[in-house]
Amino acid sequence: MAENRVFDTHVQGIKYKAVREIIKAYDEKRMATAFIDIPKLALPGPKGTLRCCIYKERAIFQERLKVVHQKVTADTKSIVEVIEIACDECPVDGMLVTSACRGCLSHKCMEVCPKDAIRIIDKHCVIDKEKCVECGKCVTACPYNAIIKQQRPCVTSCKVKAISVDKDKKAKINEDKCVSCGACVRQCPFGAIQEKSLILDCLDILSESKEKGFNVYAIVAPSIASQFSYGTTEQVVEGIIKLGFVRVVEAALGADVCLEHESHEWAEKGRLLTSCCPSFVKFVEKNFPEFKDCISSSLSPMVETAKIIKTADPTAKTVFIGPCASKKLECKLPKTQGLIDCVLSFEELQAFFDARQIDIETLEGIEMNDATYFGRIFARSGGIKQGLTEIAKQKGIEGISAVAMSGLDECRLNLLKLRAGKSLDNFFEGMACNGGCVNGPLCLRQGPTTVAAIEKYGKESKQTEIANSVRKYDNGTLED
Protein backbone atom coordinates (compact mmCIF):
# COMPACT_ATOMS: atom_id res chain seq x y z
CA MET A 1 0.00 0.00 0.00
CA ALA A 2 1.50 3.31 -1.05
CA GLU A 3 1.93 5.37 2.12
CA ASN A 4 1.14 8.71 0.48
CA ARG A 5 -2.18 7.25 -0.65
CA VAL A 6 -3.28 6.50 2.90
CA PHE A 7 -1.75 9.01 5.32
CA ASP A 8 -1.83 12.79 5.65
CA THR A 9 1.87 13.03 6.58
CA HIS A 10 5.17 11.27 6.04
CA VAL A 11 5.65 11.03 9.81
CA GLN A 12 2.59 8.76 10.00
CA GLY A 13 4.18 6.59 7.36
CA ILE A 14 7.33 6.20 9.45
CA LYS A 15 5.33 5.18 12.54
CA TYR A 16 3.27 2.81 10.40
CA LYS A 17 6.40 1.15 9.07
CA ALA A 18 7.63 0.41 12.61
CA VAL A 19 4.34 -1.25 13.59
CA ARG A 20 4.11 -3.16 10.31
CA GLU A 21 7.59 -4.61 10.72
CA ILE A 22 6.88 -5.58 14.34
CA ILE A 23 3.80 -7.52 13.19
CA LYS A 24 5.82 -9.27 10.50
CA ALA A 25 8.53 -10.19 13.01
CA TYR A 26 5.89 -11.55 15.41
CA ASP A 27 4.24 -13.65 12.71
CA GLU A 28 7.58 -15.00 11.52
CA LYS A 29 8.77 -15.63 15.09
CA ARG A 30 11.69 -13.18 14.76
CA MET A 31 10.94 -11.10 17.85
CA ALA A 32 14.15 -12.18 19.62
CA THR A 33 16.23 -10.21 17.11
CA ALA A 34 13.59 -7.73 15.93
CA PHE A 35 15.12 -4.63 17.51
CA ILE A 36 18.42 -5.27 15.77
CA ASP A 37 17.12 -6.52 12.43
CA ILE A 38 14.15 -4.27 11.72
CA PRO A 39 15.96 -0.88 11.55
CA LYS A 40 18.31 -2.28 8.90
CA LEU A 41 15.44 -3.82 6.94
CA ALA A 42 13.32 -0.68 7.10
CA LEU A 43 16.23 1.69 6.40
CA PRO A 44 18.69 -0.18 4.16
CA GLY A 45 20.81 2.91 3.35
CA PRO A 46 23.63 3.30 2.58
CA LYS A 47 22.88 7.01 2.90
CA GLY A 48 20.40 8.70 5.19
CA THR A 49 17.50 10.58 3.62
CA LEU A 50 15.80 11.96 6.73
CA ARG A 51 18.60 12.76 9.18
CA CYS A 52 22.30 13.49 9.10
CA CYS A 53 23.26 9.87 8.45
CA ILE A 54 21.77 6.40 8.13
CA TYR A 55 23.07 5.45 11.58
CA LYS A 56 21.07 8.16 13.32
CA GLU A 57 17.99 7.23 11.29
CA ARG A 58 18.31 3.61 12.41
CA ALA A 59 18.91 4.63 16.02
CA ILE A 60 15.73 6.71 16.00
CA PHE A 61 13.80 3.89 14.33
CA GLN A 62 15.01 1.54 17.03
CA GLU A 63 13.66 3.91 19.68
CA ARG A 64 10.31 3.88 17.87
CA LEU A 65 10.27 0.12 18.14
CA LYS A 66 10.90 0.39 21.87
CA VAL A 67 7.89 2.69 22.29
CA VAL A 68 5.78 0.16 20.36
CA HIS A 69 7.03 -2.58 22.66
CA GLN A 70 6.33 -0.76 25.93
CA LYS A 71 3.63 -2.10 28.22
CA VAL A 72 0.68 0.09 29.20
CA THR A 73 -0.68 -0.57 32.69
CA ALA A 74 -3.13 1.00 35.13
CA ASP A 75 -0.14 2.91 36.59
CA THR A 76 0.80 4.50 33.25
CA LYS A 77 0.21 8.25 33.56
CA SER A 78 0.57 9.30 29.93
CA ILE A 79 0.21 7.39 26.69
CA VAL A 80 2.61 9.67 24.81
CA GLU A 81 6.39 9.71 25.05
CA VAL A 82 9.21 11.89 23.73
CA ILE A 83 11.83 10.10 21.66
CA GLU A 84 14.72 12.27 22.77
CA ILE A 85 17.15 11.34 20.00
CA ALA A 86 14.55 12.46 17.43
CA CYS A 87 13.88 15.78 19.17
CA ASP A 88 16.68 18.05 18.02
CA GLU A 89 15.66 20.27 15.13
CA CYS A 90 13.01 22.73 16.31
CA PRO A 91 13.82 26.36 17.15
CA VAL A 92 13.25 27.49 20.72
CA ASP A 93 14.06 31.19 20.38
CA GLY A 94 10.80 32.49 21.83
CA MET A 95 10.32 36.16 20.91
CA LEU A 96 12.15 36.82 17.66
CA VAL A 97 12.75 40.16 15.93
CA THR A 98 12.66 39.69 12.16
CA SER A 99 14.22 41.74 9.36
CA ALA A 100 10.90 43.59 9.02
CA CYS A 101 11.88 45.80 11.97
CA ARG A 102 12.20 49.37 10.66
CA GLY A 103 13.66 50.96 13.78
CA CYS A 104 10.64 53.25 13.96
CA LEU A 105 10.46 56.27 16.24
CA SER A 106 7.36 55.28 18.22
CA HIS A 107 9.10 52.35 19.97
CA LYS A 108 5.74 50.83 20.91
CA CYS A 109 7.36 47.44 21.50
CA MET A 110 9.68 48.92 24.13
CA GLU A 111 6.90 50.92 25.80
CA VAL A 112 4.55 47.93 26.33
CA CYS A 113 7.20 45.50 27.61
CA PRO A 114 6.44 44.86 31.31
CA LYS A 115 9.96 43.60 32.05
CA ASP A 116 12.02 46.33 30.34
CA ALA A 117 13.48 43.60 28.09
CA ILE A 118 13.56 45.64 24.85
CA ARG A 119 16.14 48.18 23.74
CA ILE A 120 16.62 50.01 20.44
CA ILE A 121 20.20 49.50 19.32
CA ASP A 122 21.45 50.85 15.99
CA LYS A 123 17.85 51.65 15.05
CA HIS A 124 16.83 48.03 15.58
CA CYS A 125 14.77 46.34 18.26
CA VAL A 126 16.78 43.96 20.45
CA ILE A 127 15.22 41.63 23.05
CA ASP A 128 17.06 40.61 26.20
CA LYS A 129 16.18 36.92 26.50
CA GLU A 130 17.19 36.86 30.16
CA LYS A 131 14.46 39.38 31.02
CA CYS A 132 11.82 38.38 28.47
CA VAL A 133 8.84 36.41 29.83
CA GLU A 134 7.32 35.87 26.35
CA CYS A 135 4.08 37.65 27.21
CA GLY A 136 3.61 38.63 23.56
CA LYS A 137 2.70 42.27 24.14
CA CYS A 138 5.45 43.44 21.80
CA VAL A 139 4.08 41.18 19.06
CA THR A 140 0.73 42.94 19.26
CA ALA A 141 2.22 46.40 19.56
CA CYS A 142 4.60 46.33 16.58
CA PRO A 143 3.00 48.18 13.61
CA TYR A 144 5.11 46.19 11.14
CA ASN A 145 4.44 42.73 12.63
CA ALA A 146 8.20 42.49 12.87
CA ILE A 147 8.22 40.52 16.13
CA ILE A 148 7.02 36.93 16.19
CA LYS A 149 6.64 34.41 18.95
CA GLN A 150 8.54 31.33 17.89
CA GLN A 151 7.28 28.18 19.60
CA ARG A 152 7.67 24.52 18.91
CA PRO A 153 4.66 22.85 17.26
CA CYS A 154 4.34 20.43 20.18
CA VAL A 155 4.19 23.30 22.69
CA THR A 156 1.63 25.17 20.59
CA SER A 157 -0.53 22.07 20.13
CA CYS A 158 -0.70 21.26 23.84
CA LYS A 159 -3.70 23.11 25.24
CA VAL A 160 -2.99 22.05 28.84
CA LYS A 161 0.60 23.39 28.82
CA ALA A 162 2.05 19.99 29.62
CA ILE A 163 5.01 20.37 27.25
CA SER A 164 8.12 22.41 27.92
CA VAL A 165 11.68 22.51 26.61
CA ASP A 166 14.53 21.51 28.91
CA LYS A 167 18.09 22.87 29.05
CA ASP A 168 19.17 20.42 26.35
CA LYS A 169 16.42 21.75 24.06
CA LYS A 170 14.45 18.53 24.31
CA ALA A 171 10.68 18.44 24.72
CA LYS A 172 9.50 17.28 28.13
CA ILE A 173 5.99 16.15 29.07
CA ASN A 174 4.61 16.97 32.50
CA GLU A 175 2.53 13.86 33.21
CA ASP A 176 0.66 15.63 35.99
CA LYS A 177 -0.79 18.03 33.41
CA CYS A 178 -1.00 15.73 30.38
CA VAL A 179 -4.45 14.43 29.41
CA SER A 180 -3.13 12.02 26.74
CA CYS A 181 -5.08 13.73 23.95
CA GLY A 182 -2.24 13.03 21.50
CA ALA A 183 -2.33 16.44 19.80
CA CYS A 184 1.46 16.69 20.13
CA VAL A 185 1.86 13.33 18.42
CA ARG A 186 0.02 14.59 15.38
CA GLN A 187 1.72 18.00 15.28
CA CYS A 188 5.40 17.13 15.81
CA PRO A 189 6.98 17.53 12.33
CA PHE A 190 9.81 15.14 13.18
CA GLY A 191 7.74 12.41 14.82
CA ALA A 192 9.69 12.90 18.04
CA ILE A 193 6.58 12.34 20.16
CA GLN A 194 4.90 8.99 19.79
CA GLU A 195 2.06 7.18 21.50
CA LYS A 196 2.64 3.83 23.14
CA SER A 197 1.26 0.84 21.29
CA LEU A 198 -0.73 -2.21 22.36
CA ILE A 199 -0.14 -4.08 19.09
CA LEU A 200 1.81 -6.89 20.77
CA ASP A 201 -1.02 -7.36 23.27
CA CYS A 202 -3.42 -7.67 20.35
CA LEU A 203 -1.20 -10.19 18.58
CA ASP A 204 -0.98 -12.27 21.76
CA ILE A 205 -4.77 -12.19 22.22
CA LEU A 206 -5.43 -13.33 18.65
CA SER A 207 -2.78 -16.04 18.91
CA GLU A 208 -4.12 -17.37 22.23
CA SER A 209 -7.68 -17.40 20.90
CA LYS A 210 -6.70 -20.12 18.45
CA GLU A 211 -5.06 -22.21 21.17
CA LYS A 212 -7.67 -21.71 23.90
CA GLY A 213 -10.79 -21.46 21.77
CA PHE A 214 -12.21 -18.09 22.84
CA ASN A 215 -13.63 -15.43 20.52
CA VAL A 216 -12.04 -12.05 19.87
CA TYR A 217 -14.37 -9.20 18.94
CA ALA A 218 -13.33 -5.94 17.31
CA ILE A 219 -15.19 -2.82 18.43
CA VAL A 220 -14.80 -0.08 15.83
CA ALA A 221 -15.24 3.64 16.43
CA PRO A 222 -17.83 5.23 14.13
CA SER A 223 -15.12 7.48 12.69
CA ILE A 224 -13.86 4.40 10.80
CA ALA A 225 -16.33 5.35 8.06
CA SER A 226 -14.23 8.45 7.31
CA GLN A 227 -10.79 6.87 7.20
CA PHE A 228 -10.13 4.18 4.60
CA SER A 229 -10.84 6.27 1.51
CA TYR A 230 -9.58 3.60 -0.88
CA GLY A 231 -12.21 1.09 0.28
CA THR A 232 -15.68 0.88 1.76
CA THR A 233 -16.45 0.50 5.45
CA GLU A 234 -17.85 -2.95 4.64
CA GLN A 235 -14.54 -3.96 3.02
CA VAL A 236 -12.64 -2.73 6.08
CA VAL A 237 -14.91 -4.84 8.31
CA GLU A 238 -14.20 -7.98 6.26
CA GLY A 239 -10.50 -7.18 6.38
CA ILE A 240 -10.67 -7.05 10.19
CA ILE A 241 -12.41 -10.44 10.23
CA LYS A 242 -9.57 -11.86 8.12
CA LEU A 243 -7.11 -10.74 10.81
CA GLY A 244 -8.66 -13.29 13.17
CA PHE A 245 -11.59 -11.49 14.78
CA VAL A 246 -14.87 -13.39 15.04
CA ARG A 247 -17.05 -10.31 14.63
CA VAL A 248 -16.87 -6.54 14.25
CA VAL A 249 -19.26 -4.53 16.42
CA GLU A 250 -19.98 -0.81 16.23
CA ALA A 251 -18.99 1.29 19.24
CA ALA A 252 -21.98 3.36 18.12
CA LEU A 253 -24.12 0.67 19.76
CA GLY A 254 -22.65 1.73 23.11
CA ALA A 255 -23.16 5.37 22.08
CA ASP A 256 -26.90 4.69 21.77
CA VAL A 257 -26.82 3.23 25.28
CA CYS A 258 -24.95 6.30 26.55
CA LEU A 259 -27.68 8.57 25.20
CA GLU A 260 -30.31 6.61 27.08
CA HIS A 261 -28.33 6.63 30.33
CA GLU A 262 -27.36 10.29 30.08
CA SER A 263 -30.92 11.43 29.43
CA HIS A 264 -31.98 9.77 32.71
CA GLU A 265 -28.93 11.05 34.58
CA TRP A 266 -29.45 14.62 33.40
CA ALA A 267 -33.08 14.44 34.56
CA GLU A 268 -31.80 13.45 38.02
CA LYS A 269 -28.90 15.91 38.32
CA GLY A 270 -29.94 18.86 36.19
CA ARG A 271 -26.31 19.35 35.06
CA LEU A 272 -24.11 16.87 33.23
CA LEU A 273 -20.71 16.64 31.56
CA THR A 274 -20.18 13.84 29.04
CA SER A 275 -17.88 10.90 29.79
CA CYS A 276 -17.27 9.67 26.22
CA CYS A 277 -13.89 11.36 25.68
CA PRO A 278 -11.30 10.16 28.24
CA SER A 279 -9.04 13.15 27.59
CA PHE A 280 -11.92 15.54 28.34
CA VAL A 281 -12.66 13.62 31.55
CA LYS A 282 -8.99 13.90 32.60
CA PHE A 283 -9.03 17.58 31.67
CA VAL A 284 -11.97 18.19 34.00
CA GLU A 285 -10.49 16.11 36.83
CA LYS A 286 -7.16 17.96 36.67
CA ASN A 287 -8.33 21.50 35.94
CA PHE A 288 -11.92 21.74 37.18
CA PRO A 289 -12.14 19.21 40.02
CA GLU A 290 -15.22 20.96 41.44
CA PHE A 291 -17.18 19.57 38.48
CA LYS A 292 -16.03 15.94 38.82
CA ASP A 293 -19.40 14.94 40.27
CA CYS A 294 -21.09 16.36 37.19
CA ILE A 295 -19.28 13.95 34.85
CA SER A 296 -21.69 11.31 33.60
CA SER A 297 -21.45 7.99 35.40
CA SER A 298 -22.09 6.28 32.07
CA LEU A 299 -19.11 4.39 30.71
CA SER A 300 -17.80 5.45 27.31
CA PRO A 301 -19.39 3.94 24.17
CA MET A 302 -16.32 1.73 23.76
CA VAL A 303 -16.80 0.19 27.21
CA GLU A 304 -20.60 0.02 27.06
CA THR A 305 -20.30 -1.95 23.81
CA ALA A 306 -17.75 -4.30 25.36
CA LYS A 307 -20.12 -4.86 28.28
CA ILE A 308 -22.78 -6.13 25.90
CA ILE A 309 -20.30 -8.41 24.16
CA LYS A 310 -18.93 -9.93 27.36
CA THR A 311 -22.40 -10.48 28.76
CA ALA A 312 -23.39 -12.30 25.57
CA ASP A 313 -20.07 -14.20 25.35
CA PRO A 314 -18.42 -14.37 28.82
CA THR A 315 -15.12 -15.82 27.55
CA ALA A 316 -14.73 -13.20 24.83
CA LYS A 317 -11.85 -10.77 24.41
CA THR A 318 -12.45 -7.29 23.01
CA VAL A 319 -10.20 -5.00 20.97
CA PHE A 320 -11.22 -1.40 20.28
CA ILE A 321 -10.06 0.16 17.00
CA GLY A 322 -10.25 3.92 16.70
CA PRO A 323 -8.57 7.31 16.21
CA CYS A 324 -7.83 8.05 19.85
CA ALA A 325 -4.59 8.01 21.86
CA SER A 326 -6.24 8.30 25.27
CA LYS A 327 -8.42 5.22 24.68
CA LYS A 328 -5.20 3.22 25.07
CA LEU A 329 -4.98 4.56 28.59
CA GLU A 330 -8.70 4.40 29.35
CA CYS A 331 -8.83 0.66 28.70
CA LYS A 332 -6.47 0.08 31.63
CA LEU A 333 -8.39 2.20 34.15
CA PRO A 334 -10.16 0.38 36.99
CA LYS A 335 -13.51 1.94 36.09
CA THR A 336 -13.56 0.08 32.77
CA GLN A 337 -13.72 -3.19 34.77
CA GLY A 338 -11.43 -5.06 32.39
CA LEU A 339 -14.11 -4.98 29.70
CA ILE A 340 -11.65 -3.77 27.03
CA ASP A 341 -8.64 -6.01 26.58
CA CYS A 342 -6.74 -3.96 24.00
CA VAL A 343 -6.88 -0.80 21.88
CA LEU A 344 -5.52 -0.27 18.38
CA SER A 345 -5.41 2.88 16.27
CA PHE A 346 -6.49 3.27 12.67
CA GLU A 347 -2.81 3.75 11.81
CA GLU A 348 -2.01 0.40 13.44
CA LEU A 349 -4.93 -1.27 11.66
CA GLN A 350 -3.50 -0.14 8.32
CA ALA A 351 -0.13 -1.61 9.32
CA PHE A 352 -1.91 -4.84 10.34
CA PHE A 353 -3.61 -5.13 6.94
CA ASP A 354 -0.37 -4.57 5.05
CA ALA A 355 1.74 -6.86 7.25
CA ARG A 356 -0.74 -9.67 6.61
CA GLN A 357 -1.09 -8.66 2.93
CA ILE A 358 -4.83 -8.05 3.15
CA ASP A 359 -5.94 -5.82 0.28
CA ILE A 360 -9.36 -4.60 1.35
CA GLU A 361 -10.14 -3.29 -2.13
CA THR A 362 -10.51 -6.88 -3.36
CA LEU A 363 -13.00 -7.91 -0.66
CA GLU A 364 -16.78 -8.09 -1.07
CA GLY A 365 -17.44 -6.54 2.32
CA ILE A 366 -19.51 -7.29 5.42
CA GLU A 367 -22.19 -4.87 6.55
CA MET A 368 -22.58 -3.67 10.16
CA ASN A 369 -26.03 -2.92 11.50
CA ASP A 370 -25.66 -2.40 15.24
CA ALA A 371 -26.54 1.23 15.90
CA THR A 372 -28.69 4.22 15.00
CA TYR A 373 -27.86 7.42 13.18
CA PHE A 374 -27.47 9.16 16.53
CA GLY A 375 -24.94 6.63 17.82
CA ARG A 376 -22.88 6.89 14.68
CA ILE A 377 -22.64 10.70 14.70
CA PHE A 378 -20.92 10.60 18.11
CA ALA A 379 -17.79 10.72 15.94
CA ARG A 380 -18.22 14.42 15.21
CA SER A 381 -18.52 17.42 17.48
CA GLY A 382 -22.16 18.13 18.23
CA GLY A 383 -23.26 14.54 17.72
CA ILE A 384 -23.91 13.85 21.40
CA LYS A 385 -25.75 17.14 21.80
CA GLN A 386 -27.92 16.35 18.79
CA GLY A 387 -28.67 12.83 20.01
CA LEU A 388 -29.49 13.89 23.55
CA THR A 389 -31.78 16.66 22.33
CA GLU A 390 -33.66 14.13 20.20
CA ILE A 391 -34.04 11.49 22.90
CA ALA A 392 -35.11 14.13 25.42
CA LYS A 393 -37.79 15.25 22.98
CA GLN A 394 -39.00 11.66 22.59
CA LYS A 395 -39.15 11.15 26.35
CA GLY A 396 -40.75 14.50 27.09
CA ILE A 397 -37.73 15.69 29.09
CA GLU A 398 -37.64 19.48 29.16
CA GLY A 399 -35.10 22.08 30.22
CA ILE A 400 -31.93 20.75 28.59
CA SER A 401 -29.63 23.49 27.32
CA ALA A 402 -26.73 21.73 25.64
CA VAL A 403 -23.43 23.03 24.33
CA ALA A 404 -20.95 21.16 22.13
CA MET A 405 -17.35 21.97 23.03
CA SER A 406 -14.92 21.23 20.21
CA GLY A 407 -11.32 21.09 21.41
CA LEU A 408 -9.84 21.79 24.83
CA ASP A 409 -9.79 25.57 24.33
CA GLU A 410 -13.57 25.60 23.97
CA CYS A 411 -13.88 23.17 26.89
CA ARG A 412 -11.85 25.50 29.10
CA LEU A 413 -13.80 28.59 28.04
CA ASN A 414 -17.20 27.04 28.75
CA LEU A 415 -16.12 25.51 32.06
CA LEU A 416 -14.67 28.84 33.18
CA LYS A 417 -18.05 30.41 32.45
CA LEU A 418 -19.69 27.64 34.46
CA ARG A 419 -17.26 28.21 37.34
CA ALA A 420 -18.03 31.94 37.28
CA GLY A 421 -21.77 31.26 37.32
CA LYS A 422 -22.19 32.85 33.89
CA SER A 423 -23.13 29.78 31.85
CA LEU A 424 -26.71 29.31 30.68
CA ASP A 425 -26.01 25.71 29.66
CA ASN A 426 -26.57 22.57 31.74
CA PHE A 427 -25.34 19.79 29.42
CA PHE A 428 -21.72 19.95 28.26
CA GLU A 429 -20.50 17.76 25.43
CA GLY A 430 -16.70 17.72 25.70
CA MET A 431 -14.34 16.64 22.91
CA ALA A 432 -10.57 17.08 23.30
CA CYS A 433 -10.01 17.01 19.54
CA ASN A 434 -11.14 19.92 17.38
CA GLY A 435 -14.11 18.67 15.39
CA GLY A 436 -14.42 15.54 17.49
CA CYS A 437 -13.15 11.98 16.99
CA VAL A 438 -13.10 12.37 13.20
CA ASN A 439 -9.98 14.47 13.80
CA GLY A 440 -8.39 12.19 16.39
CA PRO A 441 -4.57 12.20 16.46
CA LEU A 442 -4.30 8.60 15.26
CA CYS A 443 -6.58 9.01 12.26
CA LEU A 444 -5.21 8.10 8.85
CA ARG A 445 -6.49 11.41 7.58
CA GLN A 446 -8.21 14.52 8.85
CA GLY A 447 -10.18 17.32 7.24
CA PRO A 448 -13.66 18.55 6.30
CA THR A 449 -14.48 15.53 4.13
CA THR A 450 -14.35 13.27 7.17
CA VAL A 451 -17.36 15.01 8.74
CA ALA A 452 -19.37 14.53 5.56
CA ALA A 453 -18.41 10.85 5.55
CA ILE A 454 -19.71 10.43 9.09
CA GLU A 455 -23.01 12.12 8.27
CA LYS A 456 -23.43 9.80 5.28
CA TYR A 457 -22.56 6.77 7.39
CA GLY A 458 -25.08 7.80 10.03
CA LYS A 459 -27.86 8.20 7.49
CA GLU A 460 -27.14 4.75 6.07
CA SER A 461 -28.05 3.10 9.40
CA LYS A 462 -30.97 0.68 9.24
CA GLN A 463 -31.52 0.90 12.98
CA THR A 464 -34.06 3.59 13.80
CA GLU A 465 -34.79 3.05 17.49
CA ILE A 466 -32.32 3.76 20.29
CA ALA A 467 -34.61 1.59 22.40
CA ASN A 468 -33.49 -1.44 20.37
CA SER A 469 -29.86 -0.80 21.35
CA VAL A 470 -30.93 -0.44 24.99
CA ARG A 471 -32.75 -3.79 24.81
CA LYS A 472 -29.53 -5.42 23.62
CA TYR A 473 -27.73 -3.86 26.57
CA ASP A 474 -30.38 -4.91 29.10
CA ASN A 475 -30.64 -8.45 27.70
CA GLY A 476 -26.90 -8.91 27.10
CA THR A 477 -27.24 -9.87 23.46
CA LEU A 478 -25.84 -8.65 20.16
CA GLU A 479 -28.85 -9.85 18.21
CA ASP A 480 -32.06 -7.92 17.52
Side-chain angles (χ1 to χ4, degrees):
M1 185 63 63
E3 292 166 23
N4 61 357
R5 184 184 176 195
V6 177
F7 303 113
D8 281 340
T9 71
H10 184 62
V11 168
Q12 290 173 276
I14 296 171
K15 288 169 54 188
Y16 146 89
K17 190 179 292 185
V19 176
R20 185 193 66 194
E21 294 305 319
I22 281 284
I23 296 168
K24 285 182 180 180
Y26 185 97
D27 288 348
E28 296 167 8
K29 297 180 169 43
R30 295 187 284 107
M31 286 303 295
T33 59
F35 294 104
I36 297 173
D37 298 339
I38 290 177
K40 294 179 182 179
L41 289 170
L43 301 166
K47 293 183 178 180
T49 57
L50 305 175
R51 301 284 181 160
C52 60
C53 66
I54 190 64
Y55 304 107
K56 183 166 185 177
E57 284 187 25
R58 287 173 181 168
I60 292 172
F61 200 88
Q62 193 170 57
E63 292 301 310
R64 294 193 191 284
L65 297 177
K66 289 179 182 179
V67 176
V68 171
H69 193 259
Q70 279 187 16
K71 286 290 182 182
V72 178
T73 69
D75 296 325
T76 303
K77 288 187 176 182
S78 175
I79 205 67
V80 295
E81 182 172 319
V82 177
I83 301 173
E84 289 195 0
I85 192 175
C87 180
D88 64 355
E89 300 289 344
C90 292
V92 287
D93 286 340
M95 311 309 299
L96 179 69
V97 181
T98 70
S99 58
C101 178
R102 299 294 303 277
C104 65
L105 300 180
S106 64
H107 300 167
K108 289 183 179 179
C109 57
M110 188 169 67
E111 297 298 330
V112 300
C113 180
K115 297 296 182 181
D116 194 30
I118 297 178
R119 290 285 181 271
I120 305 300
I121 301 176
D122 294 331
K123 299 181 181 180
H124 195 77
C125 171
V126 176
I127 298 176
D128 184 339
K129 294 300 179 66
E130 294 295 322
K131 293 181 179 180
C132 178
V133 293
E134 300 184 11
C135 65
K137 290 184 178 181
C138 56
V139 175
T140 306
C142 178
Y144 294 104
N145 299 315
I147 305 176
I148 61 174
K149 188 171 184 178
Q150 202 170 37
Q151 285 186 303
R152 290 188 172 189
C154 58
V155 174
T156 304
S157 70
C158 183
K159 304 306 180 184
V160 293
K161 301 187 184 331
I163 299 181
S164 59
V165 181
D166 68 11
K167 59 182 177 59
D168 297 319
K169 298 187 178 181
K170 306 290 185 182
K172 292 293 179 184
I173 298 175
N174 183 337
E175 293 184 345
D176 292 329
K177 292 182 178 181
C178 179
V179 296
S180 294
C181 67
C184 54
V185 175
R186 189 78 179 194
Q187 292 303 318
C188 178
F190 284 87
I193 305 179
Q194 186 170 320
E195 84 285 354
K196 299 177 176 70
S197 176
L198 301 178
I199 188 66
L200 289 174
D201 290 352
C202 182
L203 290 166
D204 285 341
I205 289 169
L206 290 170
S207 178
E208 290 173 8
S209 71
K210 297 176 183 177
E211 301 169 8
K212 299 180 181 178
F214 57 82
N215 294 320
V216 186
Y217 294 76
I219 300 171
V220 293
S223 48
I224 197 168
S226 68
Q227 291 301 298
F228 294 83
S229 58
Y230 61 93
T232 66
T233 302
E234 291 77 16
Q235 288 174 317
V236 175
V237 169
E238 185 176 348
I240 293 172
I241 297 292
K242 287 186 174 296
L243 292 174
F245 294 89
V246 68
R247 180 170 173 175
V248 180
V249 183
E250 296 183 73
L253 171 60
D256 282 342
V257 174
C258 283
L259 285 175
E260 175 74 12
H261 290 175
E262 290 184 349
S263 66
H264 288 297
E265 192 170 3
W266 181 87
E268 292 174 4
K269 293 182 176 179
R271 180 191 290 168
L272 204 64
L273 280 62
T274 55
S275 58
C276 300
C277 172
S279 288
F280 171 65
V281 172
K282 286 184 72 174
F283 175 75
V284 175
E285 291 173 342
K286 292 185 176 186
N287 298 278
F288 297 90
E290 66 268 37
F291 299 133
K292 283 174 62 175
D293 292 341
C294 297
I295 299 171
S296 172
S297 61
S298 179
L299 299 171
S300 68
M302 170 185 81
V303 184
E304 295 287 24
T305 305
K307 195 171 184 178
I308 298 172
I309 293 170
K310 293 203 171 184
T311 303
D313 185 351
T315 65
K317 298 286 186 180
T318 57
V319 178
F320 177 76
I321 303 173
C324 183
S326 60
K327 288 291 184 187
K328 295 184 177 187
L329 203 57
E330 183 192 15
C331 76
K332 300 296 182 181
L333 298 177
K335 68 179 179 181
T336 63
Q337 305 163 34
L339 292 167
I340 292 290
D341 296 286
C342 187
V343 171
L344 297 184
S345 70
F346 291 143
E347 292 175 344
E348 289 166 330
L349 178 60
Q350 181 64 63
F352 217 154
F353 284 154
D354 292 348
R356 296 267 174 99
Q357 297 185 325
I358 296 172
D359 183 357
I360 67 170
E361 291 177 273
T362 65
L363 305 179
E364 291 185 11
I366 297 173
E367 186 180 43
M368 293 186 293
N369 188 33
D370 300 312
T372 70
Y373 164 81
F374 294 106
R376 288 180 172 184
I377 63 170
F378 264 52
R380 62 161 171 80
S381 178
I384 305 173
K385 172 185 173 180
Q386 186 176 340
L388 186 78
T389 302
E390 176 63 24
I391 197 171
K393 181 180 177 181
Q394 293 174 8
K395 291 176 175 291
I397 299 173
E398 297 180 349
I400 293 179
S401 177
V403 59
M405 304 179 295
S406 174
L408 290 178
D409 280 343
E410 281 193 13
C411 292
R412 178 181 287 103
L413 177 62
N414 281 276
L415 293 177
L416 284 171
K417 287 169 64 178
L418 181 60
R419 175 184 281 170
K422 295 182 179 180
S423 176
L424 299 177
D425 299 303
N426 52 37
F427 182 86
F428 299 82
E429 173 199 310
M431 295 280 191
C433 296
N434 291 318
C437 304
V438 290
N439 289 323
L442 308 185
C443 281
L444 302 182
R445 62 195 189 104
Q446 298 177 344
T449 59
T450 59
V451 177
I454 292 303
E455 189 67 20
K456 179 176 179 290
Y457 177 56
K459 290 179 177 178
E460 289 170 350
S461 173
K462 295 176 182 177
Q463 295 285 354
T464 58
E465 299 291 333
I466 289 175
N468 188 48
S469 298
V470 177
R471 277 193 295 272
K472 292 179 183 179
Y473 180 85
D474 290 339
N475 297 331
T477 179
L478 290 168
E479 310 309 325
D480 291 330

